[in-house]
Amino acid sequence: MSSLDELYEKLGVRKGISAAGTATIYGGSKLRPEVTQIMIEASTVMLDMDELNIAAGKMLGELTGSEYGLVTSGSAGGLLLQACAVIAGDDPAKMARLPDTEGMKNEIIIQRSHRFAYDQCYRAAGAKFVEIGDGKRCHEWQLEAAFSDKTAAVAYLFSPGLSKMALSLDKVCEIAHSKGVPVIVDAASMLPPRENLSKYHKSGADLVIHSGGKGIRGPQGTGILSGKKELIKAAYANAAPHQFLGRSAKVAKEEIVGLLTALNNFVNEDEQVENFDFRNKSQKVVDAFSETPGLDAAVKHDNVDYLTPVSSLYFTDEWEGPKAGEILQRLQEGNTPIFMHNLIHPDELIFDPLNVDDDEVDVVIKKIRESMD
Ligand SMILES: *Cc1c(COP(=O)(O)O)cnc(C)c1O
């Protein structure tokens, strides 16, 4: 027995299988082995963190098709720094006062359909939201009318399952820039596809955050902030190792090295080969349930709500067994919990193969079958 198995047994923690994509609650993603290796090496090399962060920022700029980058503590830590940067800049007198933003430009305009749980990270830096549009759509005039002399930025969210009727990023950038206001983007879970690494910069976004521990399979605690050099410099001024608000979201030297390695390998991989593998695993699950009455099983992949190939098990009105939510519960029972989700539709179980090894697919199929009885 490995010492990890011994420890988990002592703690009473079960080892599971995550077919829930890159959900942080189930462990995020499996770290790339080559990343684990370089992190071990980097963990005992002492150096100047400014030197490392500045060099890493240059490489991140190249890899994301933007001017500069910064490794952050997850996307959540990156959102905090986006807000710090647009509100306080790199002015130490302002930076030291955060999250007290009285008298500063502290308003962030956001479409109501883009409000989400993580936007608390913006508010944690003292940002005040100016909400526009309704929960679904937003008009250009509503954005035009929302600017004031206290506007710090316009926030923009990309995430599967969002309204397709929000103002486009291109339009938002065009209007915001005409007022001299930056646009900050949360695209945490939008990789792969790899094209999304540079896509939002091409639309004109000033700062973009992507998670390092989701589809890239870098260190779970990392994020990639990329964009305009002046704003990245301001974000970094607010961040660890400096002693301002971002210090609460510290990133370790080995995490920076791990993220650079993961991202470099991620961008150089063949996405078609990867998708072929995801599709095969997904098809295997679909085939196992294609004859089940009351169940519509299909592989889905549309680059919008299903960013990589997954299997969708949709329970129709003819389904007579337990509800999808009950099945999700049952899957998590026993010695090997299996994690799936129904986040897109309550009656649709998603099998996402991104973190499922070849030999785990049959284990998942067997347990889904048992959980349906
Ligand atoms: C996952 C996610 C985050 C948080 O990302 P972490 O890297 O886990 O901090 C923020 N925003 C969105 C839209 C996300 O999907």
Side-chain angles (χ1 to χ4, degrees):
M1 206 192 245
S2 73
S3 52
L4 180 65
D5 284 340
E6 273 174 37
L7 179 62
Y8 278 166
E9 192 171 313
K10 195 164 143 193
L11 295 171
V13 173
R14 300 167 300 156
K15 296 207 283 190
I17 297 172
S18 176
T22 61
T24 301
I25 182 88
Y26 305 127
S29 274
K30 292 182 179 177
L31 194 61
R32 292 165 180 271
E34 72 275 16
V35 173
T36 314
Q37 201 46 50
I38 204 161
M39 285 176 77
I40 292 170
E41 268 182 73
S43 67
T44 53
V45 176
M46 308 314 284
L47 39 68
D48 178 336
M49 287 300 284
D50 280 337
E51 198 173 306
L52 175 60
N53 271 307
I54 290 165
K58 191 157 179 281
M59 185 181 274
L60 288 177
E62 284 158 16
L63 289 168
T64 58
S66 70
E67 291 176 12
Y68 229 75
L70 177 66
V71 183
T72 62
S73 72
S75 284
L79 296 178
L80 178 80
L81 293 178
Q82 285 185 345
C84 291
V86 296
I87 293 170
D90 62 357
D91 175 350
K94 287 182 178 166
M95 286 153 58
R97 271 183 49 210
L98 297 182
D100 167 12
T101 56
E102 214 184 304
M104 299 182 205
K105 281 188 180 195
N106 61 2
E107 291 177 358
I108 293 185
I109 300 171
I110 188 167
Q111 301 181 63
R112 279 201 174 80
S113 65
H114 285 183
R115 287 301 310 270
F116 59 117
Y118 293 104
D119 67 33
Q120 187 169 20
C121 300
Y122 290 146
R123 288 181 283 128
K128 311 281 179 223
F129 283 130
V130 175
E131 295 181 280
I132 54 172
D134 55 34
K136 211 167 178 184
R137 74 178 76 220
C138 183
H139 300 285
E140 283 177 44
W141 59 263
Q142 289 172 309
L143 176 57
E144 295 271 5
F147 293 88
S148 78
D149 56 3
K150 301 198 82 181
T151 307
V154 183
Y156 201 99
L157 173 65
F158 284 101
S159 189
L162 280 193
S163 167
K164 314 284 182 287
M165 288 188 279
L167 282 177
S168 72
L169 179 61
D170 290 271
K171 187 47 83 178
V172 167
C173 288
E174 183 192 316
I175 294 173
H177 291 163
S178 75
K179 317 265 183 193
V181 168
V183 177
I184 55 180
V185 174
D186 179 356
S189 60
M190 299 303 288
L191 299 173
R194 286 159 179 77
E195 64 175 18
N196 286 346
L197 206 49
S198 57
K199 189 175 177 181
Y200 314 121
H201 294 300
K202 290 183 188 133
S203 294
D206 296 86
L207 285 176
V208 177
I209 190 73
H210 285 109
S211 291
K214 292 183 176 173
I216 295 168
R217 297 194 290 122
Q220 173 54 195
T222 59
I224 304 154
L225 185 63
S226 58
K228 300 280 153 56
K229 191 166 184 179
E230 283 311 305
L231 283 171
I232 294 282
K233 274 169 74 179
Y236 183 50
N238 284 275
H242 315 124
Q243 292 155 342
F244 293 96
L245 191 64
R247 180 56 182 255
S248 58
K250 179 156 82 176
V251 181
K253 56 196 180 304
E254 58 274 14
E255 290 179 300
I256 296 167
V257 167
L259 185 273
L260 290 180
T261 306
L263 185 60
N264 200 49
N265 293 0
F266 173 78
V267 298
N268 285 309
E269 275 160 359
D270 186 336
E271 197 158 286
Q272 280 185 337
V273 172
E274 184 179 73
N275 281 336
F276 185 74
D277 175 55
F278 292 157
R279 188 166 278 278
N280 278 342
K281 286 176 181 155
S282 301
Q283 190 63 46
K284 206 169 168 191
V285 174
V286 166
D287 289 345
F289 297 101
S290 58
E291 304 291 317
T292 309
L295 197 59
D296 276 349
V299 175
K300 292 193 177 175
H301 181 208
D302 63 9
N303 275 347
V304 181
D305 290 330
Y306 307 89
L307 296 175
T308 50
V310 298
S311 3
S312 154
L313 304 176
Y314 187 85
F315 298 91
T316 68
D317 291 343
E318 272 86 67
W319 172 252
E320 290 175 352
K323 293 256 181 228
E326 169 66 21
I327 294 172
L328 284 180
Q329 287 298 318
R330 292 185 186 182
L331 284 168
Q332 295 192 23
E333 290 164 6
N335 288 333
T336 306
I338 288 172
F339 309 109
M340 289 174 60
H341 74 78
N342 62 341
L343 293 175
I344 301 194
H345 191 287
D347 294 323
E348 181 190 38
L349 279 191
I350 300 290
F351 166 89
D352 185 333
L354 200 135
N355 280 296
V356 181
D357 291 341
D358 283 327
D359 58 343
E360 292 175 332
V361 179
D362 285 325
V363 182
V364 176
I365 290 173
K366 184 162 173 280
K367 193 140 176 191
I368 296 176
R369 200 166 267 134
E370 289 166 7
S371 305
M372 281 177 172
D373 288 337

